[in-house]
Amino acid sequence: MRIGEIAALVGVTPRAVRHYHHQGLLPEPVRLGNGYRDYGLREAVLLARIRRLTELGLSLEEVRDVLQDDRGRDLVEVLEELDQDLARQEKVLQERRMRLRALLAEARTGRLDGDVLLSPQLTRLLAGLGPVPDSPMAAKDRDHLVFLDSVLPAETRTALLAGLAGMRDHAEQVYALLDRLADSRPDDPLVTRAARELAALMPDDLVTHIQHGAPGTAEEALLADLAPAQAAALRHAVQLAAERQEGPS
């Protein structure tokens, strides 16, 4: 293969191949009688390895160290590792396409903005909630859910959204309770009454997740975005729901 052919095969530019030669990462292949470089399978495998390592964010010096460790390894072993790398990339792409298909289906209904990338779990949850009601808290809740969807680890996000799905049928009631607290003080008696009603609506699995699974920094960031009385009611509601789970002492 000539330089343009190996570059096209691996998915890099001829300029990149020359740069790797210059940096000593890719040894110069034998040259034909006409002076052209003649690349073979081993050079293609090494070039693919360099490309993969740089895509992972390694500097060229770090790539050099990894390649030093690769020397002496059997070609089959290196090819198997590359195949495993490609399989991992394929899995990531499949997961992204699943998220995209779910998002596309909801975007076609007009329920979602086209520039918001959501997990399938959140896409289903928002679809079940339906159109955003005329409620400031409902709009803010959508923003909060998108924030959590983007920052929480997959396992934590799945558990949280599954718990929230249990409150889906009571969403309008929850929003109405919190909207009434927007201009209240934290010591307003309405806060306690709202907390009791919210606690009664919270499913046990959601309470368990909030108590033991949700990261404190994300939780506090969302509470800080609420009016003081709203945050106080939610904190008290979680406390009451947790006490309900524990039962009488």
PDB file of all heavy atoms in Angstrom, residues 7 16 61 67 115 189 193 199 204 209 219 230 235 248:
ATOM      1  N   ALA A   7      -3.471   5.470   4.776  1.00  0.00           N
ATOM      2  CA  ALA A   7      -4.142   6.535   5.524  1.00  0.00           C
ATOM      3  C   ALA A   7      -5.657   6.395   5.403  1.00  0.00           C
ATOM      4  O   ALA A   7      -6.383   6.503   6.400  1.00  0.00           O
ATOM      5  CB  ALA A   7      -3.694   7.895   5.007  1.00  0.00           C
ATOM      6  N   ALA A  16      -0.852  13.080   8.650  1.00  0.00           N
ATOM      7  CA  ALA A  16      -0.708  12.479   9.977  1.00  0.00           C
ATOM      8  C   ALA A  16       0.285  11.326   9.940  1.00  0.00           C
ATOM      9  O   ALA A  16       1.103  11.169  10.861  1.00  0.00           O
ATOM     10  CB  ALA A  16      -2.060  12.003  10.493  1.00  0.00           C
ATOM     11  N   GLU A  61       3.801  11.512  23.488  1.00  0.00           N
ATOM     12  CA  GLU A  61       4.794  10.908  24.379  1.00  0.00           C
ATOM     13  C   GLU A  61       4.202   9.709  25.098  1.00  0.00           C
ATOM     14  O   GLU A  61       4.865   8.680  25.278  1.00  0.00           O
ATOM     15  CB  GLU A  61       5.302  11.934  25.391  1.00  0.00           C
ATOM     16  CG  GLU A  61       6.307  12.918  24.820  1.00  0.00           C
ATOM     17  CD  GLU A  61       7.557  12.215  24.280  1.00  0.00           C
ATOM     18  OE1 GLU A  61       8.041  11.283  24.945  1.00  0.00           O
ATOM     19  OE2 GLU A  61       8.028  12.596  23.190  1.00  0.00           O
ATOM     20  N   LEU A  67       3.417   2.113  23.068  1.00  0.00           N
ATOM     21  CA  LEU A  67       3.944   1.325  21.949  1.00  0.00           C
ATOM     22  C   LEU A  67       5.220   0.592  22.322  1.00  0.00           C
ATOM     23  O   LEU A  67       5.480  -0.515  21.830  1.00  0.00           O
ATOM     24  CB  LEU A  67       4.186   2.246  20.741  1.00  0.00           C
ATOM     25  CG  LEU A  67       2.946   2.901  20.139  1.00  0.00           C
ATOM     26  CD1 LEU A  67       3.327   3.786  18.958  1.00  0.00           C
ATOM     27  CD2 LEU A  67       1.925   1.855  19.710  1.00  0.00           C
ATOM     28  N   ASP A 115     -32.923  20.414  20.370  1.00  0.00           N
ATOM     29  CA  ASP A 115     -31.499  20.482  20.693  1.00  0.00           C
ATOM     30  C   ASP A 115     -31.188  19.902  22.063  1.00  0.00           C
ATOM     31  O   ASP A 115     -30.104  20.077  22.581  1.00  0.00           O
ATOM     32  CB  ASP A 115     -31.016  21.947  20.655  1.00  0.00           C
ATOM     33  CG  ASP A 115     -31.784  22.837  21.611  1.00  0.00           C
ATOM     34  OD1 ASP A 115     -32.814  22.399  22.135  1.00  0.00           O
ATOM     35  OD2 ASP A 115     -31.328  23.983  21.813  1.00  0.00           O
ATOM     36  N   PRO A 189     -46.976  28.341  57.956  1.00  0.00           N
ATOM     37  CA  PRO A 189     -47.648  27.063  58.245  1.00  0.00           C
ATOM     38  C   PRO A 189     -47.990  26.270  56.993  1.00  0.00           C
ATOM     39  O   PRO A 189     -48.101  25.033  57.036  1.00  0.00           O
ATOM     40  CB  PRO A 189     -48.918  27.509  58.982  1.00  0.00           C
ATOM     41  CG  PRO A 189     -48.568  28.836  59.577  1.00  0.00           C
ATOM     42  CD  PRO A 189     -47.638  29.486  58.592  1.00  0.00           C
ATOM     43  N   ARG A 193     -47.946  21.948  55.894  1.00  0.00           N
ATOM     44  CA  ARG A 193     -49.076  21.248  55.266  1.00  0.00           C
ATOM     45  C   ARG A 193     -48.680  20.702  53.899  1.00  0.00           C
ATOM     46  O   ARG A 193     -49.029  19.563  53.558  1.00  0.00           O
ATOM     47  CB  ARG A 193     -50.265  22.204  55.134  1.00  0.00           C
ATOM     48  CG  ARG A 193     -50.876  22.611  56.474  1.00  0.00           C
ATOM     49  CD  ARG A 193     -52.299  23.143  56.289  1.00  0.00           C
ATOM     50  NE  ARG A 193     -52.317  24.364  55.482  1.00  0.00           N
ATOM     51  CZ  ARG A 193     -52.205  25.589  55.997  1.00  0.00           C
ATOM     52  NH1 ARG A 193     -52.030  25.752  57.310  1.00  0.00           N
ATOM     53  NH2 ARG A 193     -52.271  26.657  55.220  1.00  0.00           N
ATOM     54  N   ALA A 199     -45.138  14.278  51.069  1.00  0.00           N
ATOM     55  CA  ALA A 199     -44.633  13.024  51.623  1.00  0.00           C
ATOM     56  C   ALA A 199     -45.581  11.875  51.326  1.00  0.00           C
ATOM     57  O   ALA A 199     -45.160  10.745  51.026  1.00  0.00           O
ATOM     58  CB  ALA A 199     -44.419  13.167  53.129  1.00  0.00           C
ATOM     59  N   ASP A 204     -42.028   4.773  48.044  1.00  0.00           N
ATOM     60  CA  ASP A 204     -40.935   4.366  48.929  1.00  0.00           C
ATOM     61  C   ASP A 204     -39.601   4.255  48.205  1.00  0.00           C
ATOM     62  O   ASP A 204     -38.555   4.603  48.762  1.00  0.00           O
ATOM     63  CB  ASP A 204     -41.269   3.018  49.588  1.00  0.00           C
ATOM     64  CG  ASP A 204     -42.354   3.150  50.645  1.00  0.00           C
ATOM     65  OD1 ASP A 204     -42.602   4.294  51.088  1.00  0.00           O
ATOM     66  OD2 ASP A 204     -42.949   2.127  51.018  1.00  0.00           O
ATOM     67  N   HIS A 209     -34.035   6.152  47.414  1.00  0.00           N
ATOM     68  CA  HIS A 209     -32.977   6.664  46.546  1.00  0.00           C
ATOM     69  C   HIS A 209     -32.480   8.030  47.025  1.00  0.00           C
ATOM     70  O   HIS A 209     -31.273   8.272  47.075  1.00  0.00           O
ATOM     71  CB  HIS A 209     -33.467   6.791  45.106  1.00  0.00           C
ATOM     72  CG  HIS A 209     -32.459   7.423  44.201  1.00  0.00           C
ATOM     73  ND1 HIS A 209     -31.377   6.746  43.711  1.00  0.00           N
ATOM     74  CD2 HIS A 209     -32.342   8.701  43.752  1.00  0.00           C
ATOM     75  CE1 HIS A 209     -30.645   7.571  42.984  1.00  0.00           C
ATOM     76  NE2 HIS A 209     -31.214   8.760  42.996  1.00  0.00           N
ATOM     77  N   GLU A 219     -28.214  17.421  44.543  1.00  0.00           N
ATOM     78  CA  GLU A 219     -29.447  17.664  45.281  1.00  0.00           C
ATOM     79  C   GLU A 219     -29.474  19.082  45.838  1.00  0.00           C
ATOM     80  O   GLU A 219     -30.475  19.792  45.714  1.00  0.00           O
ATOM     81  CB  GLU A 219     -29.581  16.648  46.412  1.00  0.00           C
ATOM     82  CG  GLU A 219     -30.850  16.814  47.242  1.00  0.00           C
ATOM     83  CD  GLU A 219     -30.873  15.868  48.432  1.00  0.00           C
ATOM     84  OE1 GLU A 219     -29.819  15.305  48.769  1.00  0.00           O
ATOM     85  OE2 GLU A 219     -31.946  15.723  49.022  1.00  0.00           O
ATOM     86  N   GLN A 230     -40.202  26.544  49.176  1.00  0.00           N
ATOM     87  CA  GLN A 230     -40.295  25.313  48.378  1.00  0.00           C
ATOM     88  C   GLN A 230     -39.227  24.312  48.815  1.00  0.00           C
ATOM     89  O   GLN A 230     -39.510  23.121  48.985  1.00  0.00           O
ATOM     90  CB  GLN A 230     -40.143  25.642  46.893  1.00  0.00           C
ATOM     91  CG  GLN A 230     -41.292  26.446  46.312  1.00  0.00           C
ATOM     92  CD  GLN A 230     -41.010  26.908  44.887  1.00  0.00           C
ATOM     93  OE1 GLN A 230     -39.849  27.102  44.510  1.00  0.00           O
ATOM     94  NE2 GLN A 230     -42.069  27.104  44.103  1.00  0.00           N
ATOM     95  N   ARG A 235     -37.532  19.322  51.712  1.00  0.00           N
ATOM     96  CA  ARG A 235     -36.687  18.693  52.730  1.00  0.00           C
ATOM     97  C   ARG A 235     -37.547  18.022  53.808  1.00  0.00           C
ATOM     98  O   ARG A 235     -37.282  16.892  54.221  1.00  0.00           O
ATOM     99  CB  ARG A 235     -35.755  19.728  53.362  1.00  0.00           C
ATOM    100  CG  ARG A 235     -34.606  20.187  52.474  1.00  0.00           C
ATOM    101  CD  ARG A 235     -33.579  20.973  53.285  1.00  0.00           C
ATOM    102  NE  ARG A 235     -32.443  21.383  52.467  1.00  0.00           N
ATOM    103  CZ  ARG A 235     -32.333  22.573  51.901  1.00  0.00           C
ATOM    104  NH1 ARG A 235     -33.300  23.471  52.060  1.00  0.00           N
ATOM    105  NH2 ARG A 235     -31.272  22.872  51.175  1.00  0.00           N
ATOM    106  N   PRO A 248     -43.379   3.115  63.213  1.00  0.00           N
ATOM    107  CA  PRO A 248     -43.375   3.642  64.581  1.00  0.00           C
ATOM    108  C   PRO A 248     -42.167   3.146  65.356  1.00  0.00           C
ATOM    109  O   PRO A 248     -41.752   2.008  65.209  1.00  0.00           O
ATOM    110  CB  PRO A 248     -44.690   3.103  65.172  1.00  0.00           C
ATOM    111  CG  PRO A 248     -45.107   1.989  64.279  1.00  0.00           C
ATOM    112  CD  PRO A 248     -44.522   2.240  62.938  1.00  0.00           C
TER     113      PRO A 248
END
